[in-house]
Amino acid sequence: LYSVDISRSANQVYNVLKEAINKVTQYIFWESKREFFQKTFELDTTNTSDVGINIYRLVAHEFSQTGKVDTSAKKTIFGQIYHQLGDNYPDFFKTEMDNKSFDVKFIGEGAVDGGGVFRETIAQLCEELQSHVLPLFIKTPNNKNNVGNYREKWTINPAATSHLHLKFFEFLGGLMGQAIRSRNYLELSLPNLFWKLLKGQEPNSQDLEEVDRLQMKHLDDLVAMDQKGIDNFDWVSITEEKFVAILSDGSEKEIKQGGREIHLSFSNRKEYAELVIKTRIHEAQLQINHIRKGFLRVVPECILEMVNHEELERMVCGVVEIDIDILKKNTTVSGIPESLETYFWEVLQGFSQEDRQKYIRFIWGRSRLPLSQEEWTQSHTLEYLYTDTPNEAYPVGHTCFFQLDLPEYTSPKTVSYTHLRAHETGRNLVCRLLLEKKKITFTQYCICVNSNQ
């Protein structure tokens, strides 16, 4: 137990309590934390999901094909939402659990938003963030160089420092807050370094290595020069570096005042390594501060104090791995023959994690399952789909209802092929076909954008 001197100033008392919570949070069971979070959110929940947001997916899709960067975010889905919600986004993001923050209308498409269209919009927004079309994130050096661990990660672009870009980061922080409150997870792949900084925890050199293995190897080699028999006499022929760090975007930054005029030497190499690590870890601290600002406009700061960085990531992004046993446990089957159900689970079990995620996205508009059994408020449903030619028919996904209508295929091979074809072409096929001015049938349209919902 901790004692607090209440005669001290409010800030001092807060800092003492904050330190105490940080020390004991690892001993608090997750279920206790989750219950506390839910009660906290209920105190300031708003219900504004009836507010409509118009999304021009065709515009976003067409722009993504140009190879350009939407620096003002006028074309992308992310930008369209940002400009329509404005600075009042906390009013929309403080939503109830499992609810959408706003109602989405796909302009030029027939989808009706019963929840699935909102989830699909959030999923596509995350794809934009982790692509060339927005300037906020870039591939980590490990990702670009295909070295080290966590090669799939993205990191903040340290060059995104304009007033508008910082407002975008603040808005992203708000989106992260709504993901925690509503459990509509953001499918983002960000390194531990990001989550530690967002929480307010100091990352270490191992966290930097997960982002830039080549940088850390270089620094380790410099520090260990004396162990390789190299002394000050041999140093001149080894390096001509200055006290400058190369950031994730390739730009240079002095690691101490006048760094461009200070030569790296045998005697100052350890100071150099320490300063490079510190600079690289905090290269995007400005952007992190704005993300945190937006986050705390939607979620109370006590939430950050009660979780570690791994729990924070799960609360925002969900769990990447799709466990088929858990999915099966939370599935309702209606009208499907036993043999077809057996085929279905056999095929799904054989899917890679990537294809499992695509399947969940196809029928639910998101690719992450609930974090715990208590959060399964909607069952995965398998319904029988009648058709005269079942082996030639695609299954139909209903993202609003987490439902798949399944024709009576006659073999696992047929199930596998049609499932893969359906969720591989489903998300963007309508945009592509309309852009190419090709005609499609109403049935194909329903399969692609789930307009029958």
Side-chain angles (χ1 to χ4, degrees):
L1 295 177
Y2 292 85
S3 58
V4 180
D5 182 1
I6 59 175
S7 65
R8 304 168 74 179
S9 68
N11 283 339
Q12 289 175 322
V13 171
Y14 170 78
N15 288 332
V16 171
L17 290 173
K18 178 179 177 180
E19 182 181 356
I21 292 173
N22 279 330
K23 287 182 177 179
V24 302
T25 184
Q26 60 181 316
Y27 304 110
I28 303 175
F29 290 118
W30 172 250
E31 290 306 314
S32 299
K33 293 181 183 180
R34 188 174 64 86
E35 183 178 354
F36 172 77
F37 298 157
Q38 290 177 352
K39 291 181 178 179
T40 301
F41 294 151
E42 288 172 0
L43 297 176
D44 64 347
T45 294
T46 57
N47 186 14
T48 56
S49 62
D50 57 336
V51 173
I53 296 293
N54 295 327
I55 301 295
Y56 293 82
R57 288 208 301 174
L58 293 177
V59 172
H61 175 81
E62 190 170 27
F63 180 82
S64 70
Q65 304 304 303
T66 66
K68 297 179 181 179
V69 179
D70 190 14
T71 54
S72 60
K74 294 290 182 65
K75 306 291 187 180
T76 55
I77 291 174
F78 176 90
Q80 292 178 49
I81 296 174
Y82 168 81
H83 289 293
Q84 290 180 68
L85 291 184
D87 199 49
N88 295 321
Y89 59 85
D91 296 336
F92 303 93
F93 291 165
K94 292 181 179 181
T95 186
E96 297 176 347
M97 288 183 297
D98 301 314
N99 277 10
K100 54 186 178 178
S101 298
F102 44 81
D103 190 76
V104 176
K105 180 178 181 181
F106 287 154
I107 303 302
E109 304 179 43
V112 177
D113 191 5
V117 176
F118 172 80
R119 289 190 291 269
E120 176 65 21
T121 299
I122 295 298
Q124 290 188 323
L125 175 152
C126 291
E127 289 178 347
E128 291 179 341
L129 286 168
Q130 298 170 132
S131 74
H132 72 275
V133 298
L134 285 170
L136 306 186
F137 290 90
I138 56 177
K139 292 181 178 181
T140 65
N142 282 358
N143 190 333
K144 288 184 288 189
N145 298 320
N146 198 30
V147 297
N149 298 322
Y150 305 100
R151 301 181 191 183
E152 76 284 2
K153 301 294 185 180
W154 290 70
T155 191
I156 292 174
N157 181 3
T161 58
S162 72
H163 174 74
L164 184 58
H165 291 164
L166 294 179
K167 295 296 290 185
F168 291 163
F169 280 115
E170 183 181 329
F171 183 72
L172 174 59
L175 282 169
M176 291 180 172
Q178 77 82 31
I180 292 178
R181 298 183 71 117
S182 69
R183 300 190 298 215
N184 290 303
Y185 304 122
L186 303 185
E187 297 163 22
L188 299 174
S189 185
L190 305 175
N192 287 329
L193 187 149
F194 172 88
W195 299 108
K196 285 186 177 182
L197 289 172
L198 181 59
K199 175 176 164 51
Q201 178 182 345
E202 183 65 19
N204 53 39
S205 59
Q206 182 179 346
D207 298 315
L208 179 57
E209 184 171 354
E210 293 176 358
V211 172
D212 194 342
R213 173 71 185 102
L214 295 181
Q215 173 77 90
M216 283 307 305
K217 184 179 186 305
H218 175 58
L219 296 178
D220 290 342
D221 289 343
L222 284 178
V223 172
M225 283 293 185
D226 55 338
Q227 300 175 21
K228 299 177 181 179
I230 297 174
D231 56 21
N232 192 51
F233 179 78
D234 302 312
W235 184 264
V236 177
S237 62
I238 294 176
T239 180
E240 292 293 330
E241 293 182 62
K242 305 292 182 63
F243 267 54
V244 174
I246 307 298
L247 307 185
S248 294
D249 65 337
S251 63
E252 294 184 352
K253 182 176 183 179
E254 291 185 336
I255 57 178
K256 66 184 301 185
Q257 187 173 0
R260 286 187 172 83
E261 306 302 323
I262 302 175
H263 289 273
L264 173 60
S265 66
F266 182 81
S267 60
N268 65 20
R269 72 190 193 284
K270 292 184 179 180
E271 178 193 12
Y272 170 83
E274 292 173 358
L275 290 175
V276 168
I277 291 172
K278 181 178 180 181
T279 301
R280 290 298 311 281
I281 283 176
H282 294 282
E283 67 181 20
Q285 189 63 55
L286 175 64
Q287 294 87 337
I288 286 286
N289 292 344
H290 281 267
I291 293 174
R292 186 182 174 95
K293 178 182 177 181
F295 184 90
L296 295 180
R297 290 187 67 189
V298 178
V299 173
E301 189 171 5
C302 63
I303 304 299
L304 283 178
E305 306 302 338
M306 292 188 65
V307 297
N308 59 42
H309 72 278
E310 294 173 330
E311 291 172 330
L312 177 60
E313 180 181 9
R314 286 198 301 271
M315 291 172 70
V316 173
C317 302
V319 178
V320 175
E321 291 75 21
I322 303 296
D323 189 319
I324 298 302
D325 291 334
I326 292 178
L327 180 64
K328 191 173 183 178
K329 179 181 178 181
N330 291 276
T331 296
T332 301
V333 180
S334 177
I336 290 181
E338 184 176 347
S339 60
L340 179 58
E341 183 184 354
T342 301
Y343 290 159
F344 171 81
W345 292 116
E346 180 182 332
V347 168
L348 213 59
Q349 191 72 52
F351 274 7
S352 66
Q353 282 295 330
E354 181 180 2
D355 281 334
R356 292 180 186 183
Q357 293 164 20
K358 288 179 180 178
Y359 168 70
I360 298 299
R361 173 83 173 269
F362 178 65
I363 63 166
W364 208 14
R366 57 187 251 189
S367 63
R368 310 287 168 92
L369 296 180
L371 291 180
S372 64
Q373 186 59 43
E374 289 72 22
E375 295 182 12
W376 277 87
T377 57
Q378 187 175 25
S379 294
H380 169 235
T381 302
L382 298 177
E383 287 274 355
Y384 181 77
L385 176 63
Y386 176 79
T387 173
D388 292 330
T389 55
N391 286 333
E392 299 175 10
Y394 279 169
V396 178
H398 301 269
T399 57
C400 294
F401 308 114
F402 198 5
Q403 177 178 319
L404 181 76
D405 293 347
L406 196 61
E408 191 170 356
Y409 301 123
T410 57
S411 72
K413 183 177 180 181
T414 308
V415 176
S416 179
Y417 172 79
T418 52
H419 267 74
L420 284 170
R421 288 296 300 152
H423 64 57
E424 281 178 357
T425 62
R427 295 197 343 265
N428 293 315
L429 183 59
V430 167
C431 288
R432 187 165 65 251
L433 289 174
L434 290 178
L435 286 170
E436 296 174 358
K437 298 180 180 179
K438 293 181 179 179
K439 294 182 179 180
I440 57 174
T441 66
F442 179 74
T443 301
Q444 289 172 318
Y445 189 88
C446 289
I447 292 173
C448 296
V449 295
N450 305 310
S451 62
N452 57 331
Q453 297 167 23

